[in-house]
Amino acid sequence: MPAEIISGKQVAEEMREEFKEEIEKLKKEHGITPGLAVVLVGEDPASQVYVKNKKIACEKVGINSIEHRLPADYPEDKLIELIESLNKDDKVHGILVQLPLPKHISEVKVLYTILPEKDVDGFHPVNVGKLMIGEADFLPCTPAGIQQLLIRSGTKIEGAEVVVVGRSNIVGKPIANILLQKSDGANATVTICHTRTKDMPSHTKRADILIVAAGKPKAVTANMVKKGAVVIDVGVNRLESGLCGDVDFEAVKEVAAKITPVPGGVGPMTITMLLKNTIKAAKLRIN
Ligand code: GUN
């Protein structure tokens, strides 16, 4: 029997409906409209699409979206100044600087400038450290979205063998950390595979939950997946034939019990969790 499809689109819609009510309440009871500042430097086409989608998503749920689109040659010190002014701006609860940045700008320097309490991406080292010790305020958006997909699809995470393919700071490392925590929706046994892993299939074939963020189209094939596994595909590859993930979907869906599609799987969850973090940042300000 082919796998059940985990629809991120549907879960995202459900969660965004819940957010509308929370935001109404924040406005009514505290006079606060959550505000998200999004900074885009340069004209990377994929980044432009992401930023546009973030703005639309904010507007639909009632978050105030403040966009700063800057030219590709914008100087680093001016960008730092902008972030410092957003740090001081009371209407801004969350700040997101779209990555990647142009080569002349240090990503680390920029990310370190964002106040941790406005870091809705969860990329500041204080927030990375808090996640590590189970004290996170803001989980990074894509991994947080993956965890929600697992929970809301009824997947048993506690005690599961989770194998993550990919060790990026944005997906691989944080999702491993999240699912490793001693908490609900976690408590898994986690292995991370990467480009230097010896005999990758020997690891992936053990996985009850296989999370693939390899950055390579169809990197995971059916013979690498255990029968009945839950497969989460984080890849977004633009090929001439259209969008495809890092998993060979057509073949793997015959082996897996559940699988996320591309598009319509993890993608819609990333922006959803950004909205969630922005609402949380606004709420934390009240306290
Ligand atoms: N570029 C790709 N993914 C992300 C993300 O989650 N946040 C930011 N800021 N940039 C990205």
Side-chain angles (χ1 to χ4, degrees):
M1 209 172 54
E4 178 192 323
I5 307 296
I6 303 176
S7 169
K9 194 165 172 268
Q10 194 183 326
V11 174
E13 275 167 19
E14 283 164 20
M15 292 187 75
R16 291 181 200 195
E17 283 307 312
E18 295 164 18
F19 297 162
K20 282 183 192 167
E21 288 169 27
E22 275 185 66
I23 291 166
E24 270 311 307
K25 206 162 160 228
L26 266 175
K27 286 183 188 171
K28 232 190 239 158
E29 292 179 9
H30 299 277
I32 291 177
T33 302
L36 174 69
V38 177
V39 181
L40 172 64
V41 188
E43 273 110 44
D44 177 65
S47 293
Q48 284 188 333
V49 173
Y50 290 139
V51 166
K52 193 180 98 199
N53 288 343
K54 282 167 189 167
K55 188 180 167 73
I56 294 170
C58 281
E59 284 167 358
K60 277 196 178 155
V61 296
I63 291 175
N64 190 18
S65 151
I66 306 122
E67 239 182 56
H68 292 268
R69 285 175 181 259
L70 308 168
D73 60 355
Y74 203 71
E76 184 186 84
D77 56 342
K78 290 274 176 212
L79 178 60
I80 301 279
E81 271 175 35
L82 170 65
I83 292 167
E84 282 167 346
S85 75
L86 294 172
N87 280 343
K88 289 187 200 126
D89 187 339
D90 281 344
K91 292 189 295 303
V92 173
H93 300 92
I95 302 171
L96 178 141
V97 178
Q98 186 65 34
L99 303 178
L101 286 167
K103 293 273 178 290
H104 68 280
I105 298 175
S106 156
E107 262 176 28
V108 165
K109 226 184 204 174
V110 169
L111 295 179
Y112 281 32
T113 306
I114 299 171
L115 271 182
E117 54 266 39
K118 293 195 178 190
D119 170 38
V120 284
D121 255 329
F123 291 166
H124 190 286
V126 165
N127 288 323
V128 175
K130 282 178 131 180
L131 165 58
M132 194 88 176
I133 60 168
E135 292 286 329
D137 294 317
F138 304 114
L139 294 178
C141 302
T142 300
I146 295 169
Q147 186 189 34
Q148 283 302 315
L149 285 180
L150 292 171
I151 293 171
R152 289 177 185 239
S153 64
T155 302
K156 188 170 172 4
I157 304 173
E158 182 164 322
E161 289 285 343
V162 172
V163 176
V164 179
V165 180
R167 56 175 155 183
S168 70
N169 291 334
I170 293 183
V171 183
K173 285 183 207 159
I175 189 61
N177 228 317
I178 289 170
L179 298 179
L180 184 65
Q181 294 302 316
K182 199 170 188 172
S183 63
D184 289 345
N187 275 318
T189 303
V190 184
T191 304
I192 305 182
C193 297
H194 48 76
T195 45
R196 304 294 170 93
T197 295
K198 282 189 212 157
D199 193 4
M200 176 97 70
S202 72
H203 295 281
T204 58
K205 267 169 54 188
R206 285 191 303 102
D208 302 313
I209 299 172
L210 179 60
I211 299 170
V212 188
K216 195 172 147 206
K218 300 188 182 178
V220 166
T221 48
N223 59 346
M224 296 168 73
V225 179
K226 182 169 86 172
K227 193 157 180 50
V230 175
V231 179
I232 305 288
D233 188 352
V234 191
V236 185
N237 304 289
R238 277 159 229 278
L239 305 182
E240 270 182 22
S241 51
L243 270 194
C244 93
D246 291 352
V247 172
D248 183 355
F249 180 84
E250 288 305 323
V252 172
K253 81 175 191 324
E254 301 301 326
V255 181
K258 298 179 197 170
I259 189 167
T260 59
V262 177
V266 173
M269 292 303 293
T270 298
I271 294 185
T272 304
M273 302 316 286
L274 173 68
L275 303 175
K276 185 174 167 51
N277 281 347
T278 305
I279 297 166
K280 183 155 189 202
K283 283 184 177 169
L284 287 174
R285 184 88 64 77
I286 301 168
N287 307 324

